[in-house]
């Protein structure tokens, strides 16, 4: 049959992939909570904008996009005097991000 294109379907991630992505999203949520609790304007708004971008499903599906959001959050946090909880959770996001990149690219 001419002109018929076969459509392929993306496979659902394995349980392991779901877990590592869930851990990464959980780290972003913990960071967001710490920022809401400990930051004030204008840093609050700046950080939340980029954190929400990093947590978005578009970023979960595109680690290059997430990496850019994470770098922006890290730069803003380093330029301001953020609470130690924010620093702790920011490091946790970085570790989870690197773990996810290493595990899912293997």
């Amino acid at each position: 049959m001419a002109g018929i294109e076969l459509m392929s379907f993306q496979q659902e991630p394995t349980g392991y992939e779901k877990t590592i992505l869930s851990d990464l999203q959980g780290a972003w949520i913990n960071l967001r909570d710490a920022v809401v609790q400990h930051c004030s304007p204008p840093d609050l708004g700046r950080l939340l904008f980029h954190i929400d971008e990093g947590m978005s499903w578009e970023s979960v599906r595109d680690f290059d996009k997430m990496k850019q959001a994470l770098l922006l959050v890290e730069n803003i946090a380093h330029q301001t005097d953020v609470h130690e909880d924010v620093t702790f959770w920011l490091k946790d996001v970085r570790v989870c991000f690197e773990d996810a990149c290493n595990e899912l690219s293997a």
Side-chain angles (χ1 to χ4, degrees):
M1 297 163 96
I4 296 178
E5 291 184 38
L6 295 177
M7 191 165 125
S8 64
F9 292 94
Q10 186 176 10
Q11 291 185 344
E12 182 178 5
T14 65
Y16 178 75
E17 290 171 336
K18 288 179 189 177
T19 299
I20 202 161
L21 292 175
S22 177
D23 289 348
L24 178 55
Q25 189 169 34
W28 277 107
I29 291 168
N30 290 334
L31 172 61
R32 190 181 198 290
D33 290 345
V35 166
V36 167
Q37 185 175 5
H38 297 292
C39 293
S40 57
D43 298 328
L44 175 65
R46 292 174 64 210
L47 286 167
L48 287 180
F49 178 82
H50 297 295
I51 289 169
D52 289 344
E53 182 67 26
M55 292 173 57
S56 71
W57 279 113
E58 293 82 11
S59 293
V60 171
R61 291 186 177 100
D62 181 355
F63 277 2
D64 287 333
K65 187 172 184 169
M66 185 181 290
K67 181 179 181 180
Q68 292 304 316
L70 179 54
L71 286 171
L72 283 169
V73 172
E74 288 172 331
N75 285 336
I76 293 167
H78 292 312
Q79 292 172 8
T80 59
D81 186 27
V82 294
H83 190 272
E84 63 188 37
D85 286 351
V86 174
T87 303
F88 174 85
W89 289 114
L90 185 54
K91 289 178 184 175
D92 190 57
V93 171
R94 171 57 70 184
V95 168
C96 289
F97 174 75
E98 290 174 357
D99 288 348
C101 287
N102 290 336
E103 292 300 322
L104 297 178
S105 68

